[in-house]
Every structure is written in C-alpha cells, then in structure tokens.
Amino acid sequence: MMADPCSTCPIHHPGNLEKLGIDMSGFDYIIALAGNPNTGKSTVFNTLTGLHQHTGNWPGKTVSRAEGAYKYREKRYKLVDLPGTYSLLSTSTDEQVARDFILFGKPDVTVIVTDATRLQRNMNLVLQILEITDRAVLCVNLIDEAKRHQIEIDFRTLSRELGIPVAGTSAARQSGIPELLQKIEEVASGSFVCKPLRIKNKDKRLAEAIEEISQTLHTLYPGLPNAKWIALRLLEGDESIVNALDSGQLGNLTL
Amino acid sequence: MNASFLTVTFWILASALLLFAAYRWWFKYVFSRKNPELEEKTLIEDALKHLFDNEYKSLISTALSLSSSLKISKEQTHSLLLRMETMNLATKIGEDQLQLTTEGRAYALKVIRIHRIWERYLADETGYHEDHWHNNADQVEHKMTLSQANEIAFRLGDPVFDPHGDPIPGVDGTLPAFEGVPLSEVTPGEIARIIHVEDEPLPVYQQLLAMGLFPGLEIKVLQIDHQKISFIADGEEKILIPAFAGHITVKPQPYTAFNEQKSLTLTDVPLGSKAIVTGISAVCRRQHKRRLMDLGVVPGTEIEVMLESAGKNPRAYRMLNTIIALRNQQASMVLVEPLKAS
Amino acid sequence: MENSGPNIDQQAKELESLMARVRDLRWQFGDETYDLYLESVYDASQKIVSAVVKKPGETRALKLETKIDRVVTSKKWGFPIMFLLLAAVFWFTIVGTNYPSQWLSLLLVDTVHPWLKSMAELTELPFWISGLLIDGIYLTTAWVVSVMLPPMAIFFPMFTLLEDFGYLPRVAFNLDNVYRKVGAHGKQALTMSMGFGCNVTGVIASRIIDSPRERLIAIITNNFSLCNGRWPTQILIATIFIGSLAPSYLGGIVSAASVIAVALLGIFMSLLVSWGLHKTVLKGEASSFSLELPPYRPPRIKTILYTSLIDRTLVVLGRSVMFAIPAGMVIWLSVNISIDGKSLAFYLTEWMDPVALFFGLNGIIFLAYIIAIPANEIVLPTILLLTVLGSSVSGQEGMTMISANSALETADILKAGGWTLLTAVNLMLFSLLHNPCSTTIYTIYKETKSLKWTMYATFIPIVLGLVVTFLVARIWEIFG
C-alpha cells in the first residue's frame, strides 16, 4: 500500500474528508451537533457525512436524532445531529434529548451551529452549552447570507471572547468545511484547549445560592467540571440530574 | 323506489339514535356508579385537608368547622371523626378542638401534594381553563397514587408551587412555613405581591379571576376600612369587599419600585413601530413564559411589529433579527415601553 | 472508580442534606430561577455580539424580504396567493401526470405483461403460479407504479421547492386565525401541508406542536389532507367522469378543478373536525403559539431534487409496492377461488352491493377499500380488476382484459360495470373521507401511544365519509 498522499496536503484540500455515511464502526471521536432550529444544522450534517437528512426551510424540521460518520486525516468521527433547540433548560423532549447527550453522552467535541445573520439570538444557546461542556467548536453557518446582508463578523475576537475555536461556513455551498474539520480535530485531539466563557449571574441572590450549592457539590464530588451548571439545574428542579449524581454518572465522571 | 329509500333512511337514522342513546347510558352507568369505598376515602381525605389547612394557617379546627367545610350533617361528622380516630389520623383535644396525628399529617400532605402537582400539570400541560383546575384536582387527588404524582412532577421539573401560588409539599412531606397575610390586613400605602388566590368557593374565585387578580401580581394598597379595600393593580384602581379580600394572600414587598401606570403590552404597539421589552406579565403560565424568553423576550430586547395577518391576529414581530409570529394572547403578556419613531 | 463502603453512605447522607437545602432555596426563588439566569445569559450574549458583529442598517436584501412578506401575508393578497399556489401545484400535477402515466402503462402493462405471460406459457408454468405471480402480483404492482409514480414525481419537487424557499411558515401565519378559531394550533397548517405529500410524514411532523392537546388534534385530522396515494384515484375518476362532461378543450381544467374542490373539502373537513374535537373530547384553551418566519432562501435545486425524488417519491412508492404485492395476491385469489362456479369476490360484492348502493357507491368499491387498507394507492387497480371480473365470467380473462388500459377504455369498463356520475362523485368523496392507510394508523399509534386516539383517528373519517356519501346520494336522488 502506498502512503496516503493527502496526509501531507494543506488543510484546504477537501480530499482529507471521507464521508462515511452511516458506517459508524470503530470511531475515534464522538461529535455532537447542536444549535438553534433552522440554522442549517442538518445541512452541515449532510455535508460531513454524505447522508441526506431532510432539510427544509422551517423551524423544527428535524424532529429526531440522526447519526452518521466521516473520516478526516485517518481518524473516524461519529457525528450525532441533535434536535434543534432554542435553549437547554426547558422540560420539552427536544431539549432534554440535546441536554442529556451533551451531558451524559460525553461527546469529544460539541459543534454548535449558528446562523451568521442572527448571531445574537443563537448566542443564548451557545453560552448555555459552554456552561456544560469544555470542548466545543462554534460553527458560524450561512456566512454567504450574512454577506448578502452586509453583516461583518470578527471571528477572531469572537473566538477569544468565547474561548473556543470558531469556523465560518456556508454548508450549502460547501465553503468553510475544511476549516471546520480542522478546528474539530484540534479540539478532539486536545491540541486546542478550550477556556469557555462562563456566565456571571447578574442577580446577587441567585449567584450566592449557586455558589453555595456548587461549593457543596465540589466537596462531595471533587473535580466536577460543571458544578455551577449542575447547581443551577438543581435549583431548576431537574431530577434527572439528582439521579445522575446519585448513580454516580456525574460524580464519577471526574475520577 | 323513493318511498322505500325513505323508509330505509328513517330506520338507519332511528337505529343510529338508539345506538347513541345506549352508548351514553352505558357511559353514564359505568362512570357514575357509586363506589362506597372511594366515597369514604374521599371524605376522610377531605377532612384531613381541612384539618391540615387550619393547622397551617394557625387556625383551630372543630367538629363544627369540619361539618360546614365538608357540607355534611352533624351525625355524619361524628361517625367520620370516630372512624378517623380509630385509624389514628386525628385526635380530640379538650372539649372540641381537633388535631392531626403525625400519621394524619403525613397523609394530608400526601393528598395535598397530589392535588397541587395535578393542578400544576393542568396549568402547564393542558389547555383547561383556571376554574376547571381545582374541581378536577379535587377528584383526581383521591384516585391518583403518590408515585403517579411523583412521576408527573418529575416530568414537570419538580415544581415547588402550584398555579395558585401555594407551595407543593416535598416528596418527604416537608412544607415551608406559612408566609403572607390576608389582603384585608395590609396597611394602606404598602406595596405587596399576591402570593395566593383561594380557589374555593368557585364563584368567588371566578370573580377574582375576572378582576385580573393572580399570584405574582404586584399591588399597592390605597385604603382599607370595614366596607371596602381599594388598591392599584396594573395601573387600575380596584375595589374589593373585605370578605373577598380575605381570599387573597399577599406578601409585603417594601423595597419594590411600584409602577402605578398601566403597562403597555406588545398588542398596543401599532404595525411598523418599535418597542422595548420591560417584562412578561405574571399571569403568563410558566411554560409559555419560558417559550417567550427563549425567543428573546427579555427586558431590554427591541421589538418591531412587522406583519399583521388578515384578522390582525396573529402578528409577526422582529426580535433579535428574527421574525416571529405570536398570537395576540401571547403578545398581550409582553410588557413594553414603546419607542418614539425616529 | 472504587469507593469504599462507608464513604458511599457518607456521600449519600451529604447529598440528601444538600437536596434539602436546594428545596429550601427553591421555595425562596419560586419559578424565578429560570428568568434570572436567562436574563444574565442574554446580557452576556448581547455584550459579545455587539463587540464582534458589524451590521448595516436596512439592506436591500432585507427590505426585499420585508416587501415579499408584506405581500404574501397581506389581507388583500395573502389568501388569493395561497390558493393560487395550491391550485397551481395541483393543476401541474394533474395535467403533467397524463402522458407519463400512459407511457408507463404502455410499457409495464401492455408490453411487459404479455411478454411475461408468453414466457410463462413457454416454460409451462402451472396455471396458478403464473396467475398468482404475473396476473396477481406483477399486474397490481405495475398498475401502482404507472399510476403513482408520475403524480408523485411532479408533486413532490414542486412542494419541496415551496418548502425550501420558506413559504410554508407564511401559510401557517395566514391560516392561524382560522386555526385559532377552531381551537387548534397554527402549526397545524404545516402538518396539514406535509400531509398532502403523505399522511405518515404529516403525523410525524405534528411533533413540532408542543401542546399535547393541539398535537392530538393535528394528528387525528391529518388524514383529511388528500395524500399522494389518493391523488391518482381522484385524477383518474375526475378525468373520466367529470372532465368528460365539459367540452374537450376545458376537460383538463374542469377535472383539475374538481380534484382541487375535493382537496379543499378536505381542508374544510379538517377544520370542522378540529373544531368538533376542541368542543368535545379535547376541550381546552389554545396554548401558546410562536412561529418563526425564517428568511427566504434561494432554493437549492440539487437538494430539492434529491429530497423530493429519492427521499420522498421512492420511499412512498416503495412502500406502496410492498403493499401491492400481498394485495395483488388477495385480489387474484378472490377472483379465482370459486364456489359453485362463482368467485369469492363475486359473493362478497353481491353481499355488499345493497348497502353500498345506498351510499351511492357499489360493492366493488367497498371490497376494494377493505383490500386496500394497507395502502390507498391500490384502491383503483383493485376496483378496475374487480369490475372487469363482473363483466366477464372467468377471472382469467378479466385479469388480462385490464391490459387494454387507457382512460377511454377504463371508462367503458366502469360504465359497463354500472357506474354513474354519482358513483364517481361519491368515490372521490369516499376516497377523501375514509380510514387512513394502515401505515398511517400504525404511525398514529406510535406517536400517540394511545389506542383510544388511534381509534378516533381511524373511525372519524370513515363515519364522516359514510354520512357525506349518504347525503350526496339522497340529494342526487331528489334532483336527479
């Protein structure tokens, strides 16, 4: 066998990507795909896996979870397309599925797909996801549309502010995909260490309550990565979190 | 030919009617059959609730208060109390005073938990109107098991308050200490938040609902005397007779800035104009409120009225650079401050 | 990973006291936690976005979008545009179906079928094997393909085009007023539109409705969207019986109009039933309705073709073929098993005829609908095969006679079988108003997890269908 000539190519060579469709055997990394509805999440999924998830221009089109795989630079990635949600806090089934997967499915990287023309709306979910996980990549999709609307985005500052890599893509037109793959790889392999932004609570009483509970959580489960978020979930009455603590699903995560 | 068809038509219609009647009768029979066991259980549980309610509000229960609350005769009350004493649920102290035993209190809390969780469920997940909640929950509480109720609570995110503002007892039967004072006992000039609107009796509750009073609403009391109580709520002066005011529990909020003006809502903003969100009305049910907030309806967001459908309901709004259609019922819960057209 | 025994006990105890503390705090905060937290989140994102995004004022692209939106949702133009688009999609489907259907039938039925038969004779296959395989299974499948493929291959791409462009949410916006008045959710307009393609997709799409009550209404009434499986029946019957009443140059338009009328009746019925459910078994107030109107996006032709042809057309066609195979066997058997020289099908239709005639239909149609419970698309082939049988004695001959298939000859066959204009009209109505196909019923059960609601969804349309056809038959009698 000859050595793969592509392994030495610059990243812009699309030949580094091999779409594996539904062949998810022997993967090296699990990648979760999260984002608001109608941000072109399914298009990103289809572009990477070569599958044909339904896409449609109305929110909520993807009503179930889809899985696929791709190979990039000799590593196999399993890609899980989560249902599109506005938030991760509600009791609706969609949000529960997305939340549970990011929390318990232990993805190596969570790719958050956003719409470049409505970054502010999408940022709400981005910040919530960064509360849960340390390993994320922001995919700012639909940049072609943003250009059409003369919107300019400073990706560098955005990446610095959020503490995670940012890639601008236009999945429907196949542009920006190599950068996205590269950034995913960097986080998955650990060559980029994320320092995700954590939200400061404006309300003093709530901030104190969260601080108090997360302190106790820390003494109970030393090294818990997202104690503050779990404290918030506890105050929200999320019993599945309690069960997870009980059964050690969360506590042992760090041992 | 025609005649025979008419005859057949007649017979088909007649038999359909008959079938329908039979079905209704069967339905009624199955569902209204008296069940003596359930009836007794209901009576006991209702009595426990009465005793607990008085205890919680530091009031005294007597056989008389019980019989008037349950609307049963003296004799029935007497035998009910005997039954409860043998079951070790309640005891008599002194002449007439009734008290719950530890078992009785735990039992009462269990029933209350089921009742309030079910009300929360009806409010959050179904489209039933407010005045159905209580009556429906009054029936369900005697039939549902605690584990069923816990399962519902789990799905709802373990709520701690019912839609009337009452705390829901915890799984282990804990309940926070009673807070708040009846509206009739607030000092004039004080600002307070309604924390509970009593849902019994129904006509009074309906009247209070119709006046737009609900838990979470902030009011400023103007005047109190033995004839009437007047206060400002949502920019309007409202008047209640003291008997009705006793059905409302409030918690004084001395440090809150009170807005005496009627707040405008999104429905007041004309097509093409902009407004800034100042808040979401307290009447908005929890799930709906979350939905709105997820869409970007939080204080400070700028909203522009973009489109009106044929009946002016729904309308579409641009918020955070997205166009979102809302029915007027939702939009009327979004409190705003209109922006002057520049 | 390993915890020692006492450590775990200790931990459990501490967790318990933590939970008690959490509950105390929750009683203090009430439901406010969420609001307070989310406000902080919005605050933070506002800061970040204002630092990194530079946005011009109103760009031309944005102004154009607003303009389009103002027109397609306006009082004056909103409904006419919607109606015209719907009519255009249907009209293109009906008109465009004609020739491809004939070519396919020429190929599959007139050419391949006789060839298969002669092959069977050459290899001296026993009568019952060649009959079951070639006259039963093959012929029914060929029929289904030639009748179904063209309308789907035309309808789905056009529909997907509208979907991809972003028009469907505007439809929901326009119609919400009506849906609100009948106590249903505005997004039901979306699920209804999906139902025009296939009721299974429509039922699954109902997941976008959060409120359980309104979701049930959407699921139960989805069957009133005339799905692709029923289009061919409508189109063929309309062309034969209604289009032929008009002068030939108007035939296409008249038959298209009659099919559109049936589809509109379906929409009306879905609203009526929604209202009925809202007033009786699914009482309640309208829940919250918020619908994002996404920006218009230039359609991507490749994706549209893939989605509509591979994902939708082939999937639906594949399913119908799966059901056509056993149905073909049943039809052939019922035609060829005879008792006292008369076939099983003959007895069954004879037996159902009096009742069916009372509803302005006939026994064959009833029998066909029973055989076709698995898939609506095989109704018409079944009817034709059974009708042909009625006019000839031997099932064998009947099966082959169907090969001669063009609209005119089909008309002759049906008229010979005693069909009138009333039969045709009522068949069109009954095709709209009858039980959902078995796949849809199964999907409804999966989605609702309730036998009760599945039963409602199954029997409401059938009862309505019988009532409507009955009334039409009676009115026909009075004026006819």
Side-chain angles (χ1 to χ4, degrees), chain C residues 79-94:
Chain C
F79 277 77
I81 289 175
M82 220 159 55
F83 178 77
L84 280 178
L85 276 173
L86 188 75
V89 169
F90 290 169
W91 188 75
F92 273 119
T93 310
I94 292 164

PDB file of all heavy atoms in Angstrom, chain C residues 79-94:
ATOM      1  N   PHE C  79     -54.509  35.362   1.009  1.00  0.00           N
ATOM      2  CA  PHE C  79     -55.291  34.166   0.697  1.00  0.00           C
ATOM      3  C   PHE C  79     -55.318  33.849  -0.792  1.00  0.00           C
ATOM      4  O   PHE C  79     -55.140  32.685  -1.168  1.00  0.00           O
ATOM      5  CB  PHE C  79     -56.703  34.278   1.280  1.00  0.00           C
ATOM      6  CG  PHE C  79     -56.757  33.885   2.725  1.00  0.00           C
ATOM      7  CD1 PHE C  79     -56.312  34.756   3.708  1.00  0.00           C
ATOM      8  CD2 PHE C  79     -57.200  32.618   3.094  1.00  0.00           C
ATOM      9  CE1 PHE C  79     -56.328  34.385   5.036  1.00  0.00           C
ATOM     10  CE2 PHE C  79     -57.220  32.234   4.420  1.00  0.00           C
ATOM     11  CZ  PHE C  79     -56.782  33.117   5.401  1.00  0.00           C
ATOM     12  N   PRO C  80     -55.533  34.865  -1.680  1.00  0.00           N
ATOM     13  CA  PRO C  80     -55.505  34.542  -3.111  1.00  0.00           C
ATOM     14  C   PRO C  80     -54.189  33.900  -3.545  1.00  0.00           C
ATOM     15  O   PRO C  80     -54.196  32.900  -4.279  1.00  0.00           O
ATOM     16  CB  PRO C  80     -55.683  35.898  -3.780  1.00  0.00           C
ATOM     17  CG  PRO C  80     -56.411  36.722  -2.797  1.00  0.00           C
ATOM     18  CD  PRO C  80     -55.969  36.249  -1.450  1.00  0.00           C
ATOM     19  N   ILE C  81     -53.054  34.429  -3.053  1.00  0.00           N
ATOM     20  CA  ILE C  81     -51.768  33.857  -3.457  1.00  0.00           C
ATOM     21  C   ILE C  81     -51.662  32.410  -2.987  1.00  0.00           C
ATOM     22  O   ILE C  81     -51.281  31.517  -3.735  1.00  0.00           O
ATOM     23  CB  ILE C  81     -50.598  34.684  -2.881  1.00  0.00           C
ATOM     24  CG1 ILE C  81     -50.513  36.019  -3.608  1.00  0.00           C
ATOM     25  CG2 ILE C  81     -49.288  33.923  -2.993  1.00  0.00           C
ATOM     26  CD1 ILE C  81     -49.482  36.962  -3.051  1.00  0.00           C
ATOM     27  N   MET C  82     -52.084  32.191  -1.754  1.00  0.00           N
ATOM     28  CA  MET C  82     -52.040  30.841  -1.206  1.00  0.00           C
ATOM     29  C   MET C  82     -52.868  29.885  -2.051  1.00  0.00           C
ATOM     30  O   MET C  82     -52.421  28.808  -2.429  1.00  0.00           O
ATOM     31  CB  MET C  82     -52.606  30.884   0.207  1.00  0.00           C
ATOM     32  CG  MET C  82     -51.908  30.052   1.195  1.00  0.00           C
ATOM     33  SD  MET C  82     -52.278  30.671   2.849  1.00  0.00           S
ATOM     34  CE  MET C  82     -54.042  30.667   2.892  1.00  0.00           C
ATOM     35  N   PHE C  83     -54.082  30.340  -2.370  1.00  0.00           N
ATOM     36  CA  PHE C  83     -54.993  29.493  -3.130  1.00  0.00           C
ATOM     37  C   PHE C  83     -54.417  29.226  -4.525  1.00  0.00           C
ATOM     38  O   PHE C  83     -54.459  28.109  -5.016  1.00  0.00           O
ATOM     39  CB  PHE C  83     -56.360  30.172  -3.236  1.00  0.00           C
ATOM     40  CG  PHE C  83     -57.339  29.394  -4.033  1.00  0.00           C
ATOM     41  CD1 PHE C  83     -57.974  28.291  -3.487  1.00  0.00           C
ATOM     42  CD2 PHE C  83     -57.612  29.730  -5.357  1.00  0.00           C
ATOM     43  CE1 PHE C  83     -58.865  27.547  -4.236  1.00  0.00           C
ATOM     44  CE2 PHE C  83     -58.500  28.990  -6.102  1.00  0.00           C
ATOM     45  CZ  PHE C  83     -59.123  27.899  -5.542  1.00  0.00           C
ATOM     46  N   LEU C  84     -53.897  30.286  -5.159  1.00  0.00           N
ATOM     47  CA  LEU C  84     -53.364  30.123  -6.499  1.00  0.00           C
ATOM     48  C   LEU C  84     -52.175  29.164  -6.513  1.00  0.00           C
ATOM     49  O   LEU C  84     -52.068  28.314  -7.400  1.00  0.00           O
ATOM     50  CB  LEU C  84     -52.932  31.478  -7.070  1.00  0.00           C
ATOM     51  CG  LEU C  84     -54.080  32.311  -7.621  1.00  0.00           C
ATOM     52  CD1 LEU C  84     -53.576  33.650  -8.132  1.00  0.00           C
ATOM     53  CD2 LEU C  84     -54.791  31.550  -8.734  1.00  0.00           C
ATOM     54  N   LEU C  85     -51.295  29.290  -5.523  1.00  0.00           N
ATOM     55  CA  LEU C  85     -50.138  28.394  -5.472  1.00  0.00           C
ATOM     56  C   LEU C  85     -50.585  26.945  -5.288  1.00  0.00           C
ATOM     57  O   LEU C  85     -50.107  26.042  -5.966  1.00  0.00           O
ATOM     58  CB  LEU C  85     -49.203  28.798  -4.331  1.00  0.00           C
ATOM     59  CG  LEU C  85     -48.214  29.910  -4.667  1.00  0.00           C
ATOM     60  CD1 LEU C  85     -47.462  30.344  -3.418  1.00  0.00           C
ATOM     61  CD2 LEU C  85     -47.226  29.435  -5.725  1.00  0.00           C
ATOM     62  N   LEU C  86     -51.540  26.759  -4.366  1.00  0.00           N
ATOM     63  CA  LEU C  86     -52.064  25.414  -4.121  1.00  0.00           C
ATOM     64  C   LEU C  86     -52.674  24.859  -5.403  1.00  0.00           C
ATOM     65  O   LEU C  86     -52.380  23.744  -5.833  1.00  0.00           O
ATOM     66  CB  LEU C  86     -53.124  25.475  -3.014  1.00  0.00           C
ATOM     67  CG  LEU C  86     -53.642  24.148  -2.505  1.00  0.00           C
ATOM     68  CD1 LEU C  86     -52.605  23.500  -1.606  1.00  0.00           C
ATOM     69  CD2 LEU C  86     -54.939  24.332  -1.736  1.00  0.00           C
ATOM     70  N   ALA C  87     -53.512  25.685  -6.039  1.00  0.00           N
ATOM     71  CA  ALA C  87     -54.168  25.260  -7.269  1.00  0.00           C
ATOM     72  C   ALA C  87     -53.134  24.973  -8.348  1.00  0.00           C
ATOM     73  O   ALA C  87     -53.255  23.991  -9.080  1.00  0.00           O
ATOM     74  CB  ALA C  87     -55.146  26.331  -7.741  1.00  0.00           C
ATOM     75  N   ALA C  88     -52.113  25.824  -8.427  1.00  0.00           N
ATOM     76  CA  ALA C  88     -51.095  25.620  -9.464  1.00  0.00           C
ATOM     77  C   ALA C  88     -50.373  24.299  -9.255  1.00  0.00           C
ATOM     78  O   ALA C  88     -50.176  23.538 -10.213  1.00  0.00           O
ATOM     79  CB  ALA C  88     -50.095  26.776  -9.440  1.00  0.00           C
ATOM     80  N   VAL C  89     -50.013  24.015  -7.990  1.00  0.00           N
ATOM     81  CA  VAL C  89     -49.327  22.751  -7.729  1.00  0.00           C
ATOM     82  C   VAL C  89     -50.211  21.570  -8.137  1.00  0.00           C
ATOM     83  O   VAL C  89     -49.773  20.652  -8.829  1.00  0.00           O
ATOM     84  CB  VAL C  89     -48.941  22.647  -6.229  1.00  0.00           C
ATOM     85  CG1 VAL C  89     -48.485  21.247  -5.894  1.00  0.00           C
ATOM     86  CG2 VAL C  89     -47.855  23.646  -5.899  1.00  0.00           C
ATOM     87  N   PHE C  90     -51.459  21.636  -7.754  1.00  0.00           N
ATOM     88  CA  PHE C  90     -52.370  20.535  -8.080  1.00  0.00           C
ATOM     89  C   PHE C  90     -52.584  20.433  -9.591  1.00  0.00           C
ATOM     90  O   PHE C  90     -52.598  19.357 -10.159  1.00  0.00           O
ATOM     91  CB  PHE C  90     -53.726  20.738  -7.377  1.00  0.00           C
ATOM     92  CG  PHE C  90     -53.641  20.561  -5.892  1.00  0.00           C
ATOM     93  CD1 PHE C  90     -54.692  20.923  -5.072  1.00  0.00           C
ATOM     94  CD2 PHE C  90     -52.517  20.012  -5.309  1.00  0.00           C
ATOM     95  CE1 PHE C  90     -54.623  20.756  -3.699  1.00  0.00           C
ATOM     96  CE2 PHE C  90     -52.427  19.847  -3.933  1.00  0.00           C
ATOM     97  CZ  PHE C  90     -53.492  20.220  -3.139  1.00  0.00           C
ATOM     98  N   TRP C  91     -52.752  21.596 -10.213  1.00  0.00           N
ATOM     99  CA  TRP C  91     -53.050  21.591 -11.636  1.00  0.00           C
ATOM    100  C   TRP C  91     -51.889  21.004 -12.444  1.00  0.00           C
ATOM    101  O   TRP C  91     -52.069  20.163 -13.297  1.00  0.00           O
ATOM    102  CB  TRP C  91     -53.366  23.006 -12.112  1.00  0.00           C
ATOM    103  CG  TRP C  91     -53.857  23.033 -13.524  1.00  0.00           C
ATOM    104  CD1 TRP C  91     -55.089  22.668 -13.974  1.00  0.00           C
ATOM    105  CD2 TRP C  91     -53.103  23.435 -14.673  1.00  0.00           C
ATOM    106  NE1 TRP C  91     -55.159  22.818 -15.326  1.00  0.00           N
ATOM    107  CE2 TRP C  91     -53.956  23.290 -15.782  1.00  0.00           C
ATOM    108  CE3 TRP C  91     -51.814  23.912 -14.854  1.00  0.00           C
ATOM    109  CZ2 TRP C  91     -53.549  23.597 -17.077  1.00  0.00           C
ATOM    110  CZ3 TRP C  91     -51.403  24.217 -16.141  1.00  0.00           C
ATOM    111  CH2 TRP C  91     -52.260  24.063 -17.249  1.00  0.00           C
ATOM    112  N   PHE C  92     -50.667  21.456 -12.109  1.00  0.00           N
ATOM    113  CA  PHE C  92     -49.491  20.917 -12.781  1.00  0.00           C
ATOM    114  C   PHE C  92     -49.421  19.410 -12.602  1.00  0.00           C
ATOM    115  O   PHE C  92     -49.100  18.671 -13.514  1.00  0.00           O
ATOM    116  CB  PHE C  92     -48.208  21.544 -12.230  1.00  0.00           C
ATOM    117  CG  PHE C  92     -47.839  22.826 -12.911  1.00  0.00           C
ATOM    118  CD1 PHE C  92     -47.746  24.020 -12.219  1.00  0.00           C
ATOM    119  CD2 PHE C  92     -47.585  22.833 -14.290  1.00  0.00           C
ATOM    120  CE1 PHE C  92     -47.409  25.191 -12.858  1.00  0.00           C
ATOM    121  CE2 PHE C  92     -47.240  24.007 -14.937  1.00  0.00           C
ATOM    122  CZ  PHE C  92     -47.160  25.196 -14.218  1.00  0.00           C
ATOM    123  N   THR C  93     -49.711  18.960 -11.380  1.00  0.00           N
ATOM    124  CA  THR C  93     -49.649  17.534 -11.101  1.00  0.00           C
ATOM    125  C   THR C  93     -50.641  16.777 -11.976  1.00  0.00           C
ATOM    126  O   THR C  93     -50.312  15.777 -12.599  1.00  0.00           O
ATOM    127  CB  THR C  93     -49.952  17.269  -9.615  1.00  0.00           C
ATOM    128  OG1 THR C  93     -49.145  18.130  -8.834  1.00  0.00           O
ATOM    129  CG2 THR C  93     -49.668  15.840  -9.255  1.00  0.00           C
ATOM    130  N   ILE C  94     -51.867  17.296 -12.024  1.00  0.00           N
ATOM    131  CA  ILE C  94     -52.917  16.596 -12.752  1.00  0.00           C
ATOM    132  C   ILE C  94     -52.627  16.579 -14.245  1.00  0.00           C
ATOM    133  O   ILE C  94     -52.672  15.538 -14.899  1.00  0.00           O
ATOM    134  CB  ILE C  94     -54.276  17.271 -12.479  1.00  0.00           C
ATOM    135  CG1 ILE C  94     -54.661  17.053 -11.018  1.00  0.00           C
ATOM    136  CG2 ILE C  94     -55.337  16.742 -13.400  1.00  0.00           C
ATOM    137  CD1 ILE C  94     -55.755  17.961 -10.538  1.00  0.00           C
TER     138      ILE C  94
END
